[in-house]
Every structure is written in C-alpha cells, then in structure tokens.
Amino acid sequence: EIVLTQSPGTLSLSPGEGATLSCRASQTVSSSYLAWYQQKSGQAPRLLIYGAFSRATGIPDRFSGSGSGTDFTLTISRLEPEDSAVYYCQHYGNLIWTFGQGTKVEIK
Amino acid sequence: EVQLLESGGGLVQPGGSLRLSCAASGFTFSSHGMSWVRQAPGKGLEWVSSISGGGGNTKYADSVKGRFTISRDNSKYTLDVQMNSLRVEDTAIYYCAKVAGNWGAGYFDLWGRGTLVTVSS
C-alpha cells in the first residue's frame, strides 16, 4: 500500500508570496497517477492538477505541479486570499486511490 | 449543467443501515466510472468505493468491504451506496465523484457537495 505524506502541515503566508507544498510517497509512483485537490472550508474538493503536471480545466496558471518518483510538489505563485484552503495529493492507479493527509494554506 | 448531487444522509444508530444516492447530470453517465469518498469531521479524505461505467466492476476500501455495496442505474443517471452494519467511525460527509479516464486508474474530476452521515446512539 502506498502512503502519501504531505508537508508542511500548515503554511501561513501573505498575499503575493509563493507556496511550495510537498507530497512524498512511500514507494515510487508513476507521474501519470498523481493528482492535487483544493478544498476550501465547507466546500467539496476541487481537482487542480492531474498526471502530476497537468492543470484541470479553469485552474489558473499560478498553480503548477512537478516531481517524479517519490517526491511531488504543488507550487502556488502570487498567493491570493481565495487560495486559503487545504490541499490534498492523491495517488490513483491499479484500483487503489490514496490521499495524503493534507496541507493547510493560510493567507495572512 | 455538469453536476453531482448527493442525498440520503442522516442520523443512524450503530449497526443500522442507510442508502445514499447521487444524481448526475450534464455528462454521459455510463461512460464514466464513479466513486464514493468520505471525510470524517475535521479529518482528511478517504476513498470508499468505485464502480466501472457499465457497473460490472467494483472495488472497496478494506474499511467498508463486506458492509457497503456500490451500484448504479445508468438509465436514471444515479449512483448509490448501500451501507449496512454502520459503525461510529463511519460518521462522515460522503461525496460522490466522477472518475476521469480508466475507471480503475482515474482521478476525480467532478465532485458533489456531499451528504452527512452520522452514526450515533
């Protein structure tokens, strides 16, 4: 079973700054099967990134995904107040879907 | 409009049963796998179950295997999950989600708003 560990637990940043969120897998993951979701308070999750790098429809280019093997990163540039949310990485593939525990991004 | 809308949540006693439904619209339902994902209060996301577009293939998380049954009616554009032998730890918001790509190896590109299930005596 693949375990995804996200860090840090919480990021507190100011508008305009950049955020780097990490997702580490317990074993090698194909880049094709790594996604990122955003969940704002009281709302359902929303797909941001799939296939480690590809932005979902309507997602601004301030959000970018990178990484390979066991280490993946979600980068949010030029933070806006609306980016305040919990971000989850997910591995999907071979009839298994696993989420990381989430990183909370707070905008000061 | 492309959307998913869950219903059927509520309060149930431990050992009881509940059936959740998800109504889909705006896309060709039978062409896509579907999943249930839950979120306990204040906790993260947990995948629960998935079903292929035709309904002939299913998969369950170990935590619900043997107690939950996922099904779909492609003529009615609905996804269901029958939850039996409910436990306190099943308390969560249950989301239905559309699977993009291969049903067994796809990400979730559309989510419903969720329905709350509370298991308590």
Side-chain angles (χ1 to χ4, degrees):
Chain A
E1 177 189 348
I2 294 175
V3 176
L4 300 177
T5 302
Q6 294 186 239
S7 62
T10 302
L11 270 176
S12 185
L13 297 165
S14 299
E17 291 190 304
T20 301
L21 286 65
S22 173
C23 175
R24 178 162 290 179
S26 58
Q27 54 187 279
T28 297
V29 169
S30 168
S31 298
S32 299
Y33 302 122
L34 196 288
W36 290 91
Y37 300 86
Q38 175 193 64
Q39 186 178 34
K40 297 181 180 180
S41 180
Q43 296 185 17
R46 175 176 72 150
L47 176 69
L48 293 176
I49 302 286
Y50 62 94
F53 316 106
S54 300
R55 272 187 300 277
T57 302
I59 302 302
D61 58 9
R62 299 186 296 103
F63 293 86
S64 62
S66 62
S68 64
T70 59
D71 292 303
F72 297 86
T73 300
L74 174 69
T75 301
I76 312 172
S77 61
R78 306 182 304 279
L79 280 165
E80 298 182 1
E82 67 197 45
D83 298 332
S84 179
V86 179
Y87 294 83
Y88 295 94
C89 61
Q90 179 205 33
H91 168 62
Y92 50 95
N94 295 323
L95 296 173
I96 294 290
W97 293 263
T98 305
F99 291 94
Q101 83 278 20
T103 290
K104 183 176 184 179
V105 173
E106 297 177 338
I107 310 299
K108 296 176 184 176
Chain B
E1 182 184 2
V2 179
Q3 68 175 1
L4 299 170
L5 186 61
E6 303 91 338
S7 61
L11 174 64
V12 61
Q13 292 188 337
S17 297
L18 206 59
R19 189 176 186 90
L20 306 182
S21 291
C22 172
S25 60
F27 62 97
T28 305
F29 186 63
S30 61
S31 295
H32 297 277
M34 297 293 295
S35 296
W36 288 98
V37 177
R38 69 184 180 183
Q39 186 170 37
K43 303 298 184 181
L45 302 171
E46 179 189 15
W47 167 74
V48 172
S49 182
S50 294
I51 187 168
S52 60
N57 297 288
T58 59
K59 181 72 173 177
Y60 299 91
D62 288 344
S63 58
V64 306
K65 196 176 298 181
R67 301 187 299 122
F68 288 15
T69 302
I70 191 172
S71 61
R72 64 190 297 161
D73 186 332
N74 287 342
S75 68
K76 296 181 179 179
Y77 272 49
T78 57
L79 171 74
D80 290 343
V81 60
Q82 175 67 40
M83 305 186 296
N84 298 330
S85 303
L86 282 162
R87 305 167 181 168
V88 171
E89 55 265 34
D90 294 320
T91 295
I93 296 173
Y94 284 74
Y95 297 101
C96 69
K98 171 178 164 285
V99 181
N102 184 316
W103 85 273
Y107 51 90
F108 304 148
D109 64 348
L110 178 67
W111 296 67
R113 291 187 173 185
T115 187
L116 176 62
V117 173
T118 302
V119 184
S120 175
S121 55

